[in-house]
Amino acid sequence: MSTLVLRRGRFSARIERRTLVFLVAMFVVIAGLTLLGLCYGAAWASPARVFAALTGSGGGPGVVIREWRLPRVMAGLVFGAALGLAGAIFQNITRNPLGSPDVIGLDAGAYTGALFAITVLSGTSTQLTVGSVLGGVLTAAIVYALSLGGGLSGLRLIVIGIAINAMLTALNSWIVLRAELEIAIAAVGWNAGSLNGIGWDDVAIPFGVLAVLFAVLFTRAPALHQAALGGALAVTTGVRWDRLRLALVLIGVGCTATVTAVAGPIAFIALAAPQIGRRLARTPGISLLPAALTGAVLLTSADLAAQMLLAPEALPVGVISTVIGGGYLIWLLTKEVRRT
C-alpha cells in the first residue's frame, strides 16, 4: 500500500493513503449529514435557505435553523466524537474490542447518579448533570480499584466492569420501580438517550469541557499508541504507564459523563466507533481521529434516523444506536467465534 510522507522541520509523519482517503471521505460525509440535519425538520428547508440562515439573513425560518436545528446537529457531532474517543481510550487500555464505557458500567453508574438527583433531590438540570458525572466517576473508581488486585489487566477490568454494570442495572430498575409514576416516567425517558429539545444553553458548557478533554487527550496520543502495544513495552520506551493509564481513564470517564449528563446514556457508539473506524481506515491499531470521526457519523446518522422513522414523532437516539450497536456486537462475536 502506498504511503504519503509529510515532513516539516523535525516533524515527520507517515500516513497510509487509504487512511488519508478515509479521513477525507469522513469529513465529506460529516458535511453532508450536517447539511441534511439543518434542512430536515417539521418543514423542509432548502440548502439555500440554510446558508442564508447561517449568515444571519434567514428571517423567521433562520431562527429555527440556528437556534433549534444547529445545536442538535452540533451535539450529535461533538457528542459522537466524544463517545468514539472514550471507546478508543478503553479499548486501547484493555486491548480488547469489548472495552467501552457502556460495557464496563460507566453509563449505568451515570444513570444511578441521575436517578438519585431525580428521586431524592428536585431533579434540576444542574443536579442531573452533577449526579450523572459523579455516578460515572464513582463507578469508574470502583471498577478501577477492583481491577488492580494482582495487577491490572484488560480482561479483568472488562469482567469486573460487566459485573458492576449488571448490579447497577438491577439497582436502577429497583429505584425506578420504587419511584412515583411521574418520576419513573421521567427517569426512564432520560435513560433512553435523546438529543430532542437540545439548545445552545444545554451544550455551551459541555462543549467547553469536551474541548479541554480533547486537547489533553491528543497531547497523550503518541504515548497512548505506544501503550496499546502493552504496558511492559510502553515502559521500556519511557512511558509512565501507571500514571498515563489513570489520566486516560479520567479523560474517558469525563467524555462519557459529560455526554450522559446532557443527553442521557447513549449506548454502543463508544463500543462500535473505534473498531469500525480502525477497519475502514486500516490503521494498525485503534487511532483516535478515525474513532472520533466514526463516532460523530454514527451518532448524527442515528439521530437523523430517529427523527425520520416515525415522523413527525422523534424517537430517542439511544433506540437507534442500540440497534446499530447490537448488530455490530453480533457481527463481532460471530467473527471471534469463527477465529476459534
Side-chain angles (χ1 to χ4, degrees), residues 262-285:
V262 180
I266 300 176
F268 287 114
I269 299 296
L271 174 68
Q275 293 295 324
I276 293 176
R278 182 179 69 85
R279 284 173 169 80
L280 292 177
R282 290 191 178 177
T283 56

Side-chain angles (χ1 to χ4, degrees), residues 89 91-96 144 151-155 222-246 248:
I89 288 173
Q91 289 179 17
N92 271 306
I93 290 176
T94 61
R95 303 176 66 189
N96 192 308
Y144 189 84
L152 189 145
S153 69
L155 181 60
L224 173 62
H225 293 152
Q226 288 179 330
L229 300 175
L233 183 59
V235 171
T236 63
T237 61
V239 175
R240 297 183 176 179
W241 173 228
D242 291 336
R243 183 179 300 180
L244 174 65
R245 182 171 55 197
L246 180 58
L248 291 173

